[in-house]
Structure formats: structure tokens, C-alpha cells
Amino acid sequence: MSKTYCHDNERDWDEGIPFVMFAARESIQESLGFSPFELVFRHTVRGPLKLLKEKWLSDPGEDIHLLDYVSRFKDRLHRACELAQENLRHSQKKMKAWYDKTTVKREFKPGDKVLVFLPVSGQPLQARFQGPYVIERKMILLGQI
């Protein structure tokens, strides 16, 4: 579901993926008989899909403004996502400032020997130091001139 959504919405997939994931988590899995949400939190979530089902099965005389509710719900989710992204940026700035307090700028000259931290082939979550390698030349990247 998420792969299809991301493929169909290449430019702004990141804006809608929380809603796709919400829908996937509230949908009952045929093999389990429960939704992932139920298995984690031990109760059903009352999301947009459940509200639509209730609307279709409800008494036609009932005055339920489902579209207004879903629209407000979507706005609240979108705002919550914006707040989470804002908090993440703030936390990242704080963590960077904390990290930068103890970092030391290192410069290497041609002829220096260095160890390189490289991934282990066939084991994507592991890495080890390899070397020593000798620095041959210093390259300047265009964005750092």
C-alpha cells in the first residue's frame, strides 16, 4: 500500500504517508483477524475508515457531519505532523550543538596514514576499521570553496 502510494505521488509522498500508515494499521489483517493497532494497544482505533463504516450503517435520520469531522481530523493530523517535524528540527539543532561542543576538526595531509570505518560486506548493519591507508592528495569539493 505504501509502495503504491509513494509511486503514485512521487513529488509529495511524504505528506500523505502518515495517513497511509494509519489506514494500514487500523485495517484488520485477514490472517490474524485483528488490526496491528489492536494487537499493540488492545482496543480498536476510531479512525476515518471506521467513521465511514458507521456513517453508511447508521440511521439515515441521524445528523452526522462525517465529512466535516474527517476534514477536521485530517487537518489535526496534518498539524500534528507539522508540530512533530518542527520539534524534530529543534531537537536536531540541540543535539548538533551538544555534539559540536566536543568535536575536534581533523585535517589530513598527503602522506598521513589513516584508518577508514567501512561496512562489512554481506552484513549491512556492521562496520569495522580498515587500513591503514595513506592519504595521496587533498580534494576540494565545489561547495566548500
Side-chain angles (χ1 to χ4, degrees):
M1 199 159 70
S2 59
K3 179 181 174 183
T4 302
Y5 177 82
C6 291
H7 181 67
D8 292 346
N9 299 284
E10 292 175 4
R11 292 184 184 262
D12 59 355
W13 66 269
D14 59 322
E15 292 179 13
I17 202 72
F19 303 112
V20 173
M21 296 307 296
F22 184 88
R25 291 175 184 140
E26 79 160 332
S27 299
I28 294 174
Q29 303 297 312
E30 186 177 340
S31 59
L32 300 173
F34 296 96
S35 71
F37 187 92
E38 286 177 281
L39 294 174
V40 172
F41 298 107
R42 297 187 344 197
H43 64 86
T44 59
V45 64
R46 191 166 182 245
L49 295 178
K50 189 160 186 123
L51 290 172
L52 286 172
K53 180 181 176 185
E54 289 173 4
K55 174 65 176 168
W56 288 329
L57 298 176
S58 69
D59 197 16
E62 273 187 56
D63 188 20
I64 299 176
H65 301 286
L66 181 65
L67 295 177
D68 291 338
Y69 178 81
V70 171
S71 176
R72 284 194 308 267
F73 184 74
K74 181 180 173 186
D75 291 341
R76 283 189 298 233
L77 284 176
H78 187 57
R79 180 65 184 140
C81 188
E82 287 174 348
L83 287 172
Q85 289 172 344
E86 185 179 316
N87 288 337
L88 178 62
R89 282 191 294 273
H90 178 70
S91 294
Q92 287 173 333
K93 285 180 185 177
K94 282 175 58 177
M95 285 187 274
K96 182 183 181 329
W98 183 262
Y99 177 81
D100 288 349
K101 286 181 184 180
T102 59
T103 59
V104 176
K105 184 175 181 179
R106 294 182 176 97
E107 291 202 24
F108 301 103
K109 300 179 292 284
D112 287 349
K113 291 184 178 182
V114 296
L115 294 176
V116 181
F117 196 60
L118 295 173
V120 176
S121 64
Q123 298 176 343
L125 300 178
Q126 293 186 358
R128 67 174 59 134
F129 285 102
Q130 296 179 7
Y133 296 100
V134 177
I135 302 289
E136 292 181 2
R137 67 179 182 271
K138 182 175 182 176
M139 298 175 64
I140 299 175
L141 300 176
L142 293 177
Q144 296 180 353
I145 296 178

